[in-house]
Amino acid sequence: MTRYKRDYYEILSLSRDCGDEEIKRSYRKLALKYHPDRNPGDKEAEENFKEAAEAYAVLRDSEKRQTYDRFGHEGLEGTGFSGFSGFEDIFSSFGDIFEGFFGFGTRGGRTGAIQGKSLRYDLELTLEEAFHGKEDEITFHRLEACVTCSGSGAAPGSAPRTCGTCQGRGQVIRSQGFFQVSTTCPACQGQGEIITDPCPDCRGGGKTRVEKSISVKIPPGVDTGSQLRLRGEGESGEYGGPPGDLFVVIHVREHTFFSREEENLACQIPISFVQAALGDTLTIPMLGEKEGHELVIPHGTQSGEVIKIPGKGMASLRGYRKRGDLYVKVIVKIPKKMSQDQRELLEAFAETEGPAFANKKKKPKGFWKKMAG
Ligand SMILES: [Zn+2]
Ligand SMILES: [Zn+2]
């Protein structure tokens, strides 16, 4: 049910700089391959068919494509584009692409059917949860067809009466000068019938707000802004229309030790100047692992140097690589306090650095004079 939103170019096997003809060709190939008439009852093919249609809808439209290129899936949010919920939707948009192929024709949609609204659910995760993936139960509210009246809005035992104003047509004709104008019937708001005895549970609206809990499977590697689309889990449609979708939008909380950039992780560890100079082996914590990881600090390591630990980053959602890397930045700490012994040892060490350093004690005055110019 839950499917991670894949990259549109990846879906259509296209490069980012592909032309319009390529987009069309590629989509047609997939659409024919996954066409429901060729794959009756095959859910996987159905999902692939819808996914390809969604990718095509965005990439064929230069404005949407530009938005997508710059901001990804999130960029299309709020532009009113929410993909396709059913075949009718797709056929009515791109039916022309099938014409002349294998006798596939367009399928007419049911008139008046309205798809239910899509819903958004914001889910916060810790970095560890994003790392491992998670199965979570989420609870939200949505409008569903009223159980008492089966969505009709009429009280049980009663039936809606045909609207007298429009005789059930939903439209009324008005004369305006020479013209006759057809408009939505004001008495029934275009529904063709009037509820005289409204259902007590939904007050005639046909829908009730219900609390719904569903289990969501979050794949490892999600990041802030990742979206999971649960098809058909939005609000129920009207007049036989399909339900909307539920979008689970992921927010990953900041971690105290690890920071993240796409699949890669980064952290900083402080070491002493002795460790930096002589080298050392440390155990550092690993995200998602009980045991730490042995990190070898080579002798002569400079402050700010970055050590890469391959394959210890986040899982990749893009599929072409398994995991990102971990970058450990080493920060050399200079002690603010030293014991007398330590100081003497360091001074003895300084002697070995040669006469230039030994004279340094006298240097400051001249040095500052020089600086002052
Ligand atoms: Zn009702
Ligand atoms: Zn009417």
Side-chain angles (χ1 to χ4, degrees), residues 163-168 170 185 187-190 192-193:
C163 173
T165 309
C166 63
Q167 265 77 47
C185 171
C188 65
Q189 272 84 43
E193 38 189 37

Side-chain angles (χ1 to χ4, degrees), residues 263-318:
E263 300 100 340
N264 296 325
L265 289 170
C267 67
Q268 287 194 359
I269 55 155
I271 60 170
S272 74
F273 71 103
V274 179
Q275 284 172 310
L278 302 178
D280 200 358
T281 302
L282 308 171
T283 304
I284 62 162
M286 280 290 121
L287 191 69
E289 291 176 24
K290 283 211 177 78
E291 314 246 306
H293 181 90
E294 285 215 331
L295 179 70
V296 177
I297 310 279
H299 65 86
T301 293
Q302 307 296 310
S303 190
E305 252 176 56
V306 175
I307 301 169
K308 174 176 164 180
I309 307 179
K312 292 292 181 186
M314 304 290 285
S316 172
L317 289 167
R318 279 180 257 175

